[in-house]
Amino acid sequence: MSTSESTPPISTAIDSLRGRLRAIDQEHLLSFWEELPPHDRRTLVDQVEALDLEAIPDLVTTYVRGQPHAPTPDTLEPAPFYPQDPSSKSRPWDASAARAAGESLIRAGKVACFTVAGGQGSRLGYDGPKGCYPAGAVSRKPLFQIFAEGILASQREYETTIPWYIMTSPLNDAQTRSFFDSQHYFGLDRSQVVFFPQGVMPSFDAGSGRILLASKSTLATNPDGHGGSFRALVESGATADMRARGVEHVSYFQVDNPLVRAVNPLFLGLHIGAPDSSGEMSSKMVAKRDPHEPVGLFCLADGTLDMIEYSDLPKDLAEARNPDGSLRFAAGNPAIHAMSVAFIERIHGDPRFALPFHRAVKKVSHVDPDTGDAVDPSEPNAVKLERFVFDAMGRAGSSIILETDRIEEFGPIKNAEGNDSPQTSAQLQTERAARWLATVGVDIPRRPDGTPDCLLEISAATALEPADLAGAKLPTSIEPGSSHLI
Ligand code: UTP
Protein backbone atom coordinates (compact mmCIF):
# COMPACT_ATOMS: atom_id res chain seq x y z
CA MET A 1 0.00 0.00 0.00
CA SER A 2 1.45 3.37 -0.90
CA THR A 3 1.84 6.01 1.76
CA SER A 4 -0.39 8.39 -0.15
CA GLU A 5 -3.28 5.90 0.14
CA SER A 6 -2.87 5.40 3.87
CA THR A 7 -2.30 8.96 5.01
CA PRO A 8 -3.76 12.32 4.08
CA PRO A 9 -2.21 13.93 0.96
CA ILE A 10 0.65 16.19 1.85
CA SER A 11 0.54 18.37 -1.24
CA THR A 12 -2.06 20.67 0.32
CA ALA A 13 -0.26 20.88 3.65
CA ILE A 14 3.16 21.56 2.17
CA ASP A 15 2.53 25.23 1.48
CA SER A 16 1.63 25.81 5.08
CA LEU A 17 4.67 23.84 6.28
CA ARG A 18 6.89 25.80 3.89
CA GLY A 19 5.53 29.01 5.38
CA ARG A 20 6.24 27.87 8.93
CA LEU A 21 9.77 26.88 7.96
CA ARG A 22 10.35 30.18 6.16
CA ALA A 23 9.26 32.03 9.29
CA ILE A 24 12.01 30.33 11.29
CA ASP A 25 14.67 30.55 8.56
CA GLN A 26 14.71 26.81 7.87
CA GLU A 27 12.99 26.68 4.47
CA HIS A 28 16.06 25.00 2.94
CA LEU A 29 14.82 21.71 4.44
CA LEU A 30 12.40 21.55 1.50
CA SER A 31 15.02 22.46 -1.14
CA PHE A 32 14.68 19.12 -2.93
CA TRP A 33 10.93 18.68 -2.48
CA GLU A 34 10.09 18.77 -6.17
CA GLU A 35 12.42 15.88 -7.02
CA LEU A 36 11.45 13.60 -4.12
CA PRO A 37 9.30 10.51 -4.69
CA PRO A 38 6.10 10.33 -2.55
CA HIS A 39 7.59 8.00 0.06
CA ASP A 40 10.59 10.28 0.66
CA ARG A 41 8.32 13.30 0.86
CA ARG A 42 6.36 11.61 3.62
CA THR A 43 9.58 10.73 5.49
CA LEU A 44 10.75 14.32 5.32
CA VAL A 45 7.43 15.83 6.39
CA ASP A 46 7.13 13.40 9.30
CA GLN A 47 10.61 14.28 10.49
CA VAL A 48 10.05 18.03 10.20
CA GLU A 49 6.67 17.87 11.90
CA ALA A 50 8.13 15.89 14.80
CA LEU A 51 10.31 18.92 15.61
CA ASP A 52 9.13 21.61 17.96
CA LEU A 53 9.43 24.20 15.17
CA GLU A 54 8.45 27.17 17.28
CA ALA A 55 11.34 26.43 19.69
CA ILE A 56 14.01 26.32 16.94
CA PRO A 57 14.80 30.07 16.66
CA ASP A 58 15.50 30.31 20.38
CA LEU A 59 17.70 27.21 20.27
CA VAL A 60 19.67 28.67 17.36
CA THR A 61 20.10 32.03 19.08
CA THR A 62 21.04 30.55 22.42
CA TYR A 63 23.10 27.51 21.57
CA VAL A 64 24.24 27.71 17.94
CA ARG A 65 25.01 31.40 17.44
CA GLY A 66 25.48 31.87 21.17
CA GLN A 67 27.69 29.79 23.42
CA PRO A 68 25.92 29.91 26.75
CA HIS A 69 28.02 29.63 29.84
CA ALA A 70 26.34 28.93 33.13
CA PRO A 71 26.75 32.07 35.23
CA THR A 72 29.85 31.81 37.42
CA PRO A 73 28.56 31.06 40.91
CA ASP A 74 29.49 33.43 43.73
CA THR A 75 30.40 30.47 45.87
CA LEU A 76 31.69 27.08 44.77
CA GLU A 77 32.02 24.50 47.52
CA PRO A 78 32.71 20.77 47.45
CA ALA A 79 29.49 18.73 47.66
CA PRO A 80 29.08 16.82 50.92
CA PHE A 81 29.00 13.04 50.61
CA TYR A 82 28.58 9.91 52.70
CA PRO A 83 32.09 8.47 53.00
CA GLN A 84 32.69 4.92 51.90
CA ASP A 85 33.76 4.04 55.44
CA PRO A 86 30.58 4.43 57.52
CA SER A 87 32.61 4.75 60.72
CA SER A 88 34.60 7.68 59.31
CA LYS A 89 34.78 10.53 61.82
CA SER A 90 34.02 13.07 59.11
CA ARG A 91 30.45 11.79 58.71
CA PRO A 92 29.50 8.53 60.43
CA TRP A 93 26.39 6.79 59.13
CA ASP A 94 24.46 3.58 59.72
CA ALA A 95 25.35 1.23 56.89
CA SER A 96 23.46 -1.76 58.24
CA ALA A 97 20.24 0.25 58.47
CA ALA A 98 20.76 1.49 54.90
CA ARG A 99 21.43 -1.98 53.60
CA ALA A 100 18.38 -3.41 55.37
CA ALA A 101 16.15 -0.66 53.95
CA GLY A 102 17.51 -1.27 50.45
CA GLU A 103 17.06 -5.02 50.73
CA SER A 104 13.45 -4.75 51.76
CA LEU A 105 12.78 -2.29 48.93
CA ILE A 106 14.24 -4.74 46.41
CA ARG A 107 12.51 -7.74 47.97
CA ALA A 108 9.16 -5.91 47.73
CA GLY A 109 9.63 -5.59 43.96
CA LYS A 110 9.87 -1.80 44.11
CA VAL A 111 13.18 -1.49 42.24
CA ALA A 112 13.90 -1.62 38.51
CA CYS A 113 17.16 -1.22 36.63
CA PHE A 114 17.50 1.51 34.05
CA THR A 115 20.33 1.54 31.53
CA VAL A 116 20.99 4.39 29.14
CA ALA A 117 22.24 2.78 25.94
CA GLY A 118 21.32 5.32 23.29
CA GLY A 119 24.75 6.90 22.84
CA GLN A 120 26.65 6.73 19.58
CA GLY A 121 29.83 5.34 21.15
CA SER A 122 31.88 7.18 18.57
CA ARG A 123 35.08 7.25 20.66
CA LEU A 124 35.14 3.46 21.00
CA GLY A 125 34.48 3.08 17.29
CA TYR A 126 32.71 -0.28 17.74
CA ASP A 127 30.43 -1.31 14.92
CA GLY A 128 27.17 -1.97 16.79
CA PRO A 129 25.33 -0.91 19.94
CA LYS A 130 27.89 -0.44 22.73
CA GLY A 131 26.01 -2.89 24.98
CA CYS A 132 26.98 -5.69 22.58
CA TYR A 133 30.70 -4.92 23.05
CA PRO A 134 32.68 -7.94 24.41
CA ALA A 135 33.77 -6.37 27.71
CA GLY A 136 34.43 -9.30 30.05
CA ALA A 137 38.15 -9.32 30.91
CA VAL A 138 38.38 -13.09 30.44
CA SER A 139 34.99 -14.24 29.12
CA ARG A 140 34.59 -11.43 26.55
CA LYS A 141 30.93 -11.41 27.54
CA PRO A 142 29.00 -8.49 26.11
CA LEU A 143 28.14 -5.62 28.44
CA PHE A 144 24.42 -6.44 28.27
CA GLN A 145 25.14 -9.99 29.45
CA ILE A 146 27.26 -8.78 32.35
CA PHE A 147 24.37 -6.59 33.56
CA ALA A 148 21.80 -9.35 32.94
CA GLU A 149 23.84 -11.71 35.14
CA GLY A 150 23.90 -9.08 37.89
CA ILE A 151 20.13 -8.72 37.68
CA LEU A 152 19.57 -12.49 37.67
CA ALA A 153 21.82 -12.92 40.71
CA SER A 154 19.99 -10.15 42.60
CA GLN A 155 16.65 -11.69 41.70
CA ARG A 156 17.78 -14.99 43.17
CA GLU A 157 19.12 -13.34 46.27
CA TYR A 158 16.01 -11.28 46.97
CA GLU A 159 13.42 -13.70 45.52
CA THR A 160 11.83 -11.08 43.36
CA THR A 161 11.59 -9.86 39.79
CA ILE A 162 13.67 -6.84 38.81
CA PRO A 163 12.41 -5.28 35.57
CA TRP A 164 15.06 -3.79 33.30
CA TYR A 165 14.38 -0.68 31.22
CA ILE A 166 16.83 -0.01 28.42
CA MET A 167 16.90 3.29 26.58
CA THR A 168 18.07 2.87 23.01
CA SER A 169 18.14 5.44 20.22
CA PRO A 170 16.41 5.33 16.85
CA LEU A 171 19.85 4.48 15.45
CA ASN A 172 20.43 1.33 17.51
CA ASP A 173 16.99 0.24 18.75
CA ALA A 174 16.35 -2.56 16.23
CA GLN A 175 19.90 -3.94 16.55
CA THR A 176 19.68 -3.92 20.35
CA ARG A 177 16.37 -5.77 20.39
CA SER A 178 17.52 -8.38 17.94
CA PHE A 179 20.72 -8.92 19.93
CA PHE A 180 18.67 -9.71 23.04
CA ASP A 181 16.46 -12.00 20.95
CA SER A 182 19.41 -13.87 19.50
CA GLN A 183 20.89 -14.30 23.00
CA HIS A 184 17.56 -15.45 24.51
CA TYR A 185 17.57 -12.45 26.81
CA PHE A 186 20.57 -13.95 28.63
CA GLY A 187 18.21 -16.03 30.76
CA LEU A 188 15.94 -13.16 31.79
CA ASP A 189 12.23 -13.37 31.15
CA ARG A 190 11.59 -11.35 28.02
CA SER A 191 8.58 -9.67 29.64
CA GLN A 192 10.83 -8.06 32.25
CA VAL A 193 13.01 -6.28 29.69
CA VAL A 194 11.53 -3.08 28.25
CA PHE A 195 13.24 -1.23 25.40
CA PHE A 196 12.33 2.26 24.30
CA PRO A 197 14.11 4.69 21.99
CA GLN A 198 15.10 8.14 23.14
CA GLY A 199 14.35 11.29 21.20
CA VAL A 200 16.63 13.04 18.75
CA MET A 201 17.60 16.65 18.13
CA PRO A 202 18.41 18.13 14.74
CA SER A 203 22.10 18.88 14.15
CA PHE A 204 22.69 22.51 13.19
CA ASP A 205 25.23 24.03 10.82
CA ALA A 206 27.57 25.83 13.22
CA GLY A 207 27.97 28.84 10.93
CA SER A 208 24.46 29.52 9.68
CA GLY A 209 22.26 27.90 12.32
CA ARG A 210 20.44 25.97 9.57
CA ILE A 211 19.42 22.39 10.33
CA LEU A 212 21.62 20.01 8.34
CA LEU A 213 20.18 17.58 5.80
CA ALA A 214 21.64 14.06 6.03
CA SER A 215 20.17 13.37 2.59
CA LYS A 216 17.75 15.19 0.33
CA SER A 217 14.87 13.74 2.32
CA THR A 218 16.20 13.26 5.85
CA LEU A 219 17.37 15.61 8.54
CA ALA A 220 20.71 15.11 10.27
CA THR A 221 19.89 14.27 13.87
CA ASN A 222 21.63 13.10 17.03
CA PRO A 223 20.28 11.37 20.15
CA ASP A 224 19.24 14.05 22.64
CA GLY A 225 21.64 12.98 25.43
CA HIS A 226 21.20 10.79 28.49
CA GLY A 227 19.16 13.66 29.94
CA GLY A 228 16.64 12.87 27.21
CA SER A 229 15.78 9.86 29.33
CA PHE A 230 13.24 11.74 31.45
CA ARG A 231 11.12 12.55 28.44
CA ALA A 232 11.63 9.16 26.82
CA LEU A 233 10.78 7.24 30.01
CA VAL A 234 7.48 9.08 30.38
CA GLU A 235 6.43 9.42 26.74
CA SER A 236 7.24 5.82 25.85
CA GLY A 237 4.97 4.63 28.66
CA ALA A 238 7.91 3.17 30.62
CA THR A 239 7.06 5.06 33.83
CA ALA A 240 3.41 3.99 33.52
CA ASP A 241 4.66 0.42 33.09
CA MET A 242 6.80 0.83 36.22
CA ARG A 243 3.81 2.01 38.20
CA ALA A 244 1.70 -0.91 36.94
CA ARG A 245 4.41 -3.29 38.20
CA GLY A 246 4.72 -1.52 41.55
CA VAL A 247 8.19 -0.13 40.84
CA GLU A 248 8.96 3.03 42.84
CA HIS A 249 12.69 3.57 42.27
CA VAL A 250 15.17 2.92 39.48
CA SER A 251 18.83 2.03 39.67
CA TYR A 252 20.39 4.08 36.85
CA PHE A 253 23.65 3.15 35.15
CA GLN A 254 25.39 3.63 31.83
CA VAL A 255 25.89 0.91 29.29
CA ASP A 256 29.67 1.19 29.29
CA ASN A 257 30.59 0.28 32.88
CA PRO A 258 30.96 -3.50 33.39
CA LEU A 259 31.90 -3.05 37.06
CA VAL A 260 28.64 -1.42 38.07
CA ARG A 261 26.55 -3.17 40.71
CA ALA A 262 23.23 -3.13 38.84
CA VAL A 263 21.16 -3.46 42.01
CA ASN A 264 22.92 -2.11 45.08
CA PRO A 265 20.97 -2.48 48.35
CA LEU A 266 23.25 -0.18 50.35
CA PHE A 267 22.94 2.70 47.90
CA LEU A 268 19.21 2.23 47.37
CA GLY A 269 18.66 2.11 51.12
CA LEU A 270 20.58 5.33 51.67
CA HIS A 271 18.67 6.92 48.79
CA ILE A 272 15.29 6.20 50.40
CA GLY A 273 16.30 6.34 54.06
CA ALA A 274 19.04 8.93 54.70
CA PRO A 275 17.69 11.75 56.84
CA ASP A 276 18.85 14.35 54.34
CA SER A 277 17.63 12.52 51.21
CA SER A 278 14.31 13.40 49.62
CA GLY A 279 14.47 9.96 47.96
CA GLU A 280 14.18 11.59 44.54
CA MET A 281 17.65 11.44 43.02
CA SER A 282 20.87 10.20 44.62
CA SER A 283 24.33 9.68 43.17
CA LYS A 284 27.54 7.82 43.72
CA MET A 285 30.93 9.46 43.56
CA VAL A 286 34.47 8.16 43.12
CA ALA A 287 37.46 10.07 44.46
CA LYS A 288 39.34 11.86 41.72
CA ARG A 289 42.66 10.14 40.88
CA ASP A 290 44.63 13.37 40.64
CA PRO A 291 43.84 17.09 40.65
CA HIS A 292 43.49 17.28 36.88
CA GLU A 293 41.69 14.05 36.03
CA PRO A 294 39.16 14.93 33.31
CA VAL A 295 35.99 13.98 35.15
CA GLY A 296 32.82 15.88 36.11
CA LEU A 297 32.81 16.95 39.75
CA PHE A 298 29.97 17.19 42.23
CA CYS A 299 29.92 20.60 43.87
CA LEU A 300 27.65 23.12 45.52
CA ALA A 301 27.23 26.13 43.26
CA ASP A 302 25.71 28.91 45.35
CA GLY A 303 24.44 26.19 47.65
CA THR A 304 22.78 24.04 44.96
CA LEU A 305 24.10 20.60 44.04
CA ASP A 306 25.59 20.74 40.58
CA MET A 307 28.11 19.04 38.31
CA ILE A 308 31.05 21.10 37.17
CA GLU A 309 33.11 20.18 34.14
CA TYR A 310 36.75 19.60 35.07
CA SER A 311 37.70 22.25 32.52
CA ASP A 312 35.52 24.82 34.33
CA LEU A 313 37.12 24.28 37.74
CA PRO A 314 39.74 26.99 38.40
CA LYS A 315 43.25 25.54 38.78
CA ASP A 316 43.64 26.71 42.39
CA LEU A 317 40.40 24.96 43.37
CA ALA A 318 41.32 21.81 41.42
CA GLU A 319 44.56 21.61 43.41
CA ALA A 320 43.22 22.74 46.81
CA ARG A 321 43.64 20.22 49.62
CA ASN A 322 41.99 19.50 52.97
CA PRO A 323 44.11 19.55 56.15
CA ASP A 324 44.49 15.74 55.86
CA GLY A 325 46.02 16.11 52.39
CA SER A 326 43.01 14.85 50.41
CA LEU A 327 41.73 16.90 47.48
CA ARG A 328 39.08 19.43 48.45
CA PHE A 329 37.13 18.97 45.22
CA ALA A 330 37.37 15.20 45.03
CA ALA A 331 33.93 13.90 44.10
CA GLY A 332 34.15 12.54 40.54
CA ASN A 333 31.05 11.35 38.72
CA PRO A 334 30.80 7.66 37.73
CA ALA A 335 27.22 8.24 36.44
CA ILE A 336 25.47 5.91 38.88
CA HIS A 337 22.19 7.21 40.29
CA ALA A 338 19.02 6.14 42.04
CA MET A 339 15.82 7.97 41.12
CA SER A 340 12.21 7.73 42.12
CA VAL A 341 9.57 7.21 39.46
CA ALA A 342 7.68 10.23 40.80
CA PHE A 343 10.80 12.41 40.35
CA ILE A 344 11.25 11.27 36.75
CA GLU A 345 7.64 12.18 36.02
CA ARG A 346 8.02 15.57 37.69
CA ILE A 347 11.17 16.50 35.77
CA HIS A 348 9.46 15.70 32.51
CA GLY A 349 6.03 17.06 33.34
CA ASP A 350 6.80 20.42 34.90
CA PRO A 351 8.33 23.01 32.53
CA ARG A 352 9.92 24.77 35.50
CA PHE A 353 12.23 21.76 35.85
CA ALA A 354 13.15 21.47 32.15
CA LEU A 355 16.81 20.53 31.77
CA PRO A 356 19.12 22.84 29.81
CA PHE A 357 20.86 21.82 26.59
CA HIS A 358 24.62 21.49 26.26
CA ARG A 359 26.27 22.16 22.91
CA ALA A 360 29.08 20.18 21.28
CA VAL A 361 30.70 20.99 17.95
CA LYS A 362 31.25 17.85 15.86
CA LYS A 363 31.85 16.72 12.29
CA VAL A 364 28.57 15.85 10.57
CA SER A 365 28.36 14.74 6.93
CA HIS A 366 25.47 16.30 5.06
CA VAL A 367 23.99 17.40 1.76
CA ASP A 368 24.54 20.98 0.62
CA PRO A 369 21.01 22.44 0.44
CA ASP A 370 21.97 24.75 -2.43
CA THR A 371 23.77 22.29 -4.73
CA GLY A 372 22.64 18.86 -3.52
CA ASP A 373 26.29 17.79 -3.25
CA ALA A 374 27.39 15.46 -0.43
CA VAL A 375 29.72 17.21 2.03
CA ASP A 376 32.14 15.26 4.20
CA PRO A 377 33.70 17.93 6.42
CA SER A 378 37.32 17.67 7.53
CA GLU A 379 36.73 20.02 10.47
CA PRO A 380 33.90 20.13 13.04
CA ASN A 381 31.02 21.90 11.32
CA ALA A 382 27.90 21.16 13.32
CA VAL A 383 26.37 21.93 16.68
CA LYS A 384 24.78 18.98 18.45
CA LEU A 385 22.51 19.60 21.41
CA GLU A 386 22.16 17.19 24.31
CA ARG A 387 20.66 17.13 27.77
CA PHE A 388 22.54 15.59 30.70
CA VAL A 389 20.92 13.51 33.39
CA PHE A 390 22.95 15.02 36.24
CA ASP A 391 21.39 18.44 35.66
CA ALA A 392 18.31 16.98 37.38
CA MET A 393 20.13 16.62 40.74
CA GLY A 394 19.74 20.26 41.68
CA ARG A 395 16.00 19.99 41.01
CA ALA A 396 15.49 17.34 43.70
CA GLY A 397 14.32 18.44 47.14
CA SER A 398 17.50 17.12 48.72
CA SER A 399 19.93 14.90 46.90
CA ILE A 400 22.62 12.79 48.56
CA ILE A 401 25.92 11.34 47.35
CA LEU A 402 27.60 8.11 48.44
CA GLU A 403 31.33 7.60 47.98
CA THR A 404 32.33 4.35 46.35
CA ASP A 405 35.63 2.74 45.48
CA ARG A 406 36.63 3.09 41.85
CA ILE A 407 38.04 -0.44 41.74
CA GLU A 408 34.77 -1.83 43.03
CA GLU A 409 32.40 -0.06 40.70
CA PHE A 410 33.88 2.01 37.91
CA GLY A 411 35.74 0.58 34.95
CA PRO A 412 34.14 2.34 31.97
CA ILE A 413 34.87 1.59 28.33
CA LYS A 414 34.84 4.87 26.43
CA ASN A 415 37.91 4.93 24.20
CA ALA A 416 39.47 2.34 21.90
CA GLU A 417 42.84 2.83 23.62
CA GLY A 418 44.40 4.64 26.56
CA ASN A 419 42.30 5.84 29.50
CA ASP A 420 38.87 4.29 30.00
CA SER A 421 39.47 1.69 27.32
CA PRO A 422 38.85 -2.08 27.13
CA GLN A 423 42.39 -2.57 28.46
CA THR A 424 42.00 -0.36 31.54
CA SER A 425 38.57 -1.85 32.21
CA ALA A 426 40.04 -5.39 32.07
CA GLN A 427 42.76 -4.28 34.52
CA LEU A 428 40.14 -2.92 36.90
CA GLN A 429 37.99 -6.06 36.60
CA THR A 430 41.12 -8.07 37.41
CA GLU A 431 42.08 -5.83 40.31
CA ARG A 432 38.63 -6.11 41.84
CA ALA A 433 38.54 -9.89 41.43
CA ALA A 434 42.05 -10.14 42.94
CA ARG A 435 40.94 -8.13 45.92
CA TRP A 436 37.83 -10.29 46.44
CA LEU A 437 39.80 -13.54 46.05
CA ALA A 438 42.39 -12.37 48.55
CA THR A 439 39.61 -12.06 51.17
CA VAL A 440 39.08 -15.82 50.93
CA GLY A 441 42.77 -16.65 51.00
CA VAL A 442 43.60 -17.07 47.29
CA ASP A 443 47.17 -15.97 46.54
CA ILE A 444 47.42 -13.51 43.68
CA PRO A 445 50.69 -13.23 41.74
CA ARG A 446 51.71 -9.59 41.42
CA ARG A 447 54.22 -7.72 39.27
CA PRO A 448 56.92 -5.53 40.83
CA ASP A 449 54.60 -2.50 40.45
CA GLY A 450 51.92 -4.29 42.53
CA THR A 451 49.45 -4.98 39.71
CA PRO A 452 48.09 -8.55 39.39
CA ASP A 453 50.17 -10.69 37.05
CA CYS A 454 47.09 -12.48 35.67
CA LEU A 455 43.69 -11.79 34.13
CA LEU A 456 40.66 -12.37 36.36
CA GLU A 457 36.93 -11.99 36.05
CA ILE A 458 34.28 -12.90 38.60
CA SER A 459 30.81 -13.42 37.17
CA ALA A 460 27.89 -11.96 39.11
CA ALA A 461 26.43 -15.48 38.91
CA THR A 462 29.25 -16.55 41.28
CA ALA A 463 29.45 -13.52 43.53
CA LEU A 464 27.84 -10.12 43.83
CA GLU A 465 30.23 -9.21 46.63
CA PRO A 466 33.24 -10.82 48.32
CA ALA A 467 31.20 -12.62 51.00
CA ASP A 468 29.50 -14.66 48.24
CA LEU A 469 32.83 -16.31 47.41
CA ALA A 470 32.74 -18.38 50.59
CA GLY A 471 31.69 -21.81 49.40
CA ALA A 472 32.25 -21.03 45.70
CA LYS A 473 34.49 -23.25 43.60
CA LEU A 474 37.73 -21.28 43.38
CA PRO A 475 41.13 -21.91 41.81
CA THR A 476 43.56 -23.23 44.41
CA SER A 477 46.46 -21.40 42.84
CA ILE A 478 46.83 -18.73 40.23
CA GLU A 479 49.90 -18.97 38.01
CA PRO A 480 51.61 -15.79 36.83
CA GLY A 481 50.26 -14.87 33.40
CA SER A 482 47.17 -17.10 33.65
CA SER A 483 43.51 -16.20 33.06
CA HIS A 484 40.60 -17.26 35.26
CA LEU A 485 36.87 -16.83 34.89
CA ILE A 486 35.28 -17.46 38.25
P1 UTP B 1 28.82 9.07 26.56
O1 UTP B 1 28.81 10.45 27.07
O2 UTP B 1 30.01 8.26 26.87
O3 UTP B 1 28.55 9.13 25.01
O4 UTP B 1 27.53 8.34 27.10
P2 UTP B 1 28.49 7.98 23.92
O5 UTP B 1 27.57 8.50 22.87
O6 UTP B 1 28.15 6.63 24.48
O7 UTP B 1 29.96 7.90 23.37
P3 UTP B 1 30.80 8.91 22.46
O8 UTP B 1 30.87 10.20 23.24
O9 UTP B 1 30.08 9.05 21.15
O10 UTP B 1 32.12 8.23 22.32
C1 UTP B 1 27.41 7.95 28.43
C2 UTP B 1 26.20 7.04 28.54
O11 UTP B 1 25.03 7.73 28.15
C3 UTP B 1 24.39 7.05 27.11
C4 UTP B 1 25.45 6.20 26.45
O12 UTP B 1 24.87 5.10 25.77
C5 UTP B 1 26.27 5.79 27.66
O13 UTP B 1 25.64 4.73 28.36
N1 UTP B 1 23.79 8.04 26.18
C6 UTP B 1 24.55 9.07 25.73
C7 UTP B 1 22.50 7.87 25.79
O14 UTP B 1 21.81 6.91 26.20
N2 UTP B 1 21.97 8.78 24.93
C8 UTP B 1 22.67 9.83 24.46
O15 UTP B 1 22.12 10.62 23.66
C9 UTP B 1 24.00 9.97 24.86
Side-chain angles (χ1 to χ4, degrees):
M1 187 165 65
S2 79
T3 317
S4 53
E5 283 162 353
S6 59
T7 48
I10 46 180
S11 47
T12 46
I14 197 63
D15 290 340
S16 132
L17 186 59
R18 195 182 288 281
R20 288 171 67 205
L21 286 173
R22 188 178 308 126
I24 60 168
D25 203 18
Q26 300 288 347
E27 193 185 354
H28 67 285
L29 296 178
L30 300 179
S31 294
F32 307 105
W33 182 258
E34 297 309 328
E35 61 186 87
L36 295 180
H39 176 267
D40 288 0
R41 287 183 170 186
R42 172 55 63 191
T43 308
L44 181 59
V45 167
D46 286 349
Q47 251 196 318
V48 172
E49 286 186 335
L51 300 175
D52 181 358
L53 290 182
E54 280 58 47
I56 299 282
D58 267 357
L59 289 179
V60 171
T61 308
T62 311
Y63 296 103
V64 185
R65 299 224 172 82
Q67 299 192 17
H69 254 93
T72 313
D74 291 332
T75 62
L76 197 59
E77 294 290 327
F81 57 85
Y82 284 89
Q84 194 186 329
D85 174 5
S87 60
S88 151
K89 286 205 184 62
S90 63
R91 196 178 184 193
W93 56 284
D94 189 344
S96 37
R99 182 163 176 135
E103 287 183 339
S104 57
L105 190 77
I106 301 165
R107 207 169 267 124
K110 294 183 178 174
V111 173
C113 287
F114 173 38
T115 306
V116 284
Q120 292 173 297
S122 44
R123 284 171 289 170
L124 182 61
Y126 172 64
D127 186 20
K130 218 193 218 183
C132 309
Y133 184 81
V138 177
S139 66
R140 313 277 292 152
K141 281 176 198 164
L143 285 152
F144 283 133
Q145 181 174 359
I146 292 172
F147 305 139
E149 289 180 358
I151 293 171
L152 282 164
S154 299
Q155 291 193 152
R156 272 195 302 277
E157 178 156 354
Y158 298 109
E159 298 173 321
T160 189
T161 299
I162 301 170
W164 187 12
Y165 296 84
I166 299 176
M167 184 172 84
T168 61
S169 81
L171 302 174
N172 69 17
D173 184 75
Q175 264 182 300
T176 304
R177 289 173 197 253
S178 69
F179 186 66
F180 271 76
D181 248 339
S182 70
Q183 303 298 312
H184 310 289
Y185 283 69
F186 309 105
L188 292 162
D189 191 314
R190 58 189 306 145
S191 69
Q192 77 184 95
V193 185
V194 179
F195 303 96
F196 58 96
Q198 67 178 107
V200 294
M201 286 297 288
S203 308
F204 295 90
D205 180 83
S208 66
R210 296 204 292 187
I211 294 170
L212 292 169
L213 282 167
S215 73
K216 290 180 175 178
S217 61
T218 49
L219 311 188
T221 59
N222 58 274
D224 60 359
H226 39 65
S229 55
F230 293 95
R231 175 175 166 198
L233 278 163
V234 176
E235 293 193 353
S236 68
T239 45
D241 184 76
M242 288 175 190
R243 287 194 177 278
R245 294 178 198 243
V247 168
E248 293 178 4
H249 296 270
V250 299
S251 168
Y252 169 105
F253 53 92
Q254 301 191 334
V255 77
D256 50 20
N257 180 16
L259 282 184
V260 76
R261 174 104 187 243
V263 188
N264 187 326
L266 185 73
F267 179 46
L268 287 160
L270 204 61
H271 161 71
I272 58 164
D276 56 339
S277 171
S278 60
E280 295 175 294
M281 180 166 181
S282 305
S283 311
K284 288 204 179 177
M285 76 83 149
V286 290
K288 221 167 38 158
R289 263 192 299 246
D290 60 74
H292 301 292
E293 181 185 353
V295 63
L297 285 174
F298 293 97
C299 64
L300 291 178
D302 293 331
T304 301
L305 185 58
D306 205 353
M307 190 72 66
I308 182 164
E309 291 285 337
Y310 66 93
S311 48
D312 290 342
L313 187 68
K315 186 169 179 292
D316 57 326
L317 292 186
E319 294 173 354
R321 299 212 174 246
N322 296 312
D324 68 0
S326 58
L327 285 172
R328 217 175 137 237
F329 285 84
N333 175 26
I336 302 171
H337 303 283
M339 290 189 269
S340 75
V341 176
F343 180 69
I344 294 166
E345 291 170 338
R346 178 158 71 80
I347 291 293
H348 173 64
D350 188 333
R352 286 172 307 163
F353 298 115
L355 303 184
F357 282 104
H358 297 257
R359 88 199 280 276
V361 185
K362 302 265 167 135
K363 279 194 261 181
V364 172
S365 303
H366 60 280
V367 164
D368 185 314
D370 300 319
T371 62
D373 294 340
V375 183
D376 204 8
S378 54
E379 295 298 323
N381 61 314
V383 172
K384 289 184 171 190
L385 299 181
E386 290 187 328
R387 288 183 157 123
F388 295 159
V389 81
F390 50 71
D391 281 325
M393 289 181 317
R395 288 149 169 83
S398 174
S399 186
I400 55 126
I401 300 170
L402 171 62
E403 180 184 22
T404 187
D405 186 327
R406 190 184 285 263
I407 292 173
E408 292 292 324
E409 285 199 75
F410 191 47
I413 296 178
K414 300 274 185 200
N415 305 306
E417 287 175 350
N419 282 338
D420 297 339
S421 63
Q423 294 76 22
T424 57
S425 180
Q427 281 161 8
L428 285 159
Q429 292 173 51
T430 298
E431 189 59 75
R432 180 175 78 171
R435 196 190 254 193
W436 289 16
L437 288 167
T439 66
V440 287
V442 178
D443 270 341
I444 307 295
R446 290 192 180 263
R447 301 187 186 91
D449 66 359
T451 55
D453 185 7
C454 52
L455 211 51
L456 303 172
E457 179 183 341
I458 297 180
S459 159
T462 307
L464 285 169
E465 50 196 18
D468 299 336
L469 287 177
K473 194 169 170 296
L474 302 175
T476 43
S477 71
I478 293 182
E479 294 301 311
S482 61
S483 297
H484 296 264
L485 173 62
I486 293 147

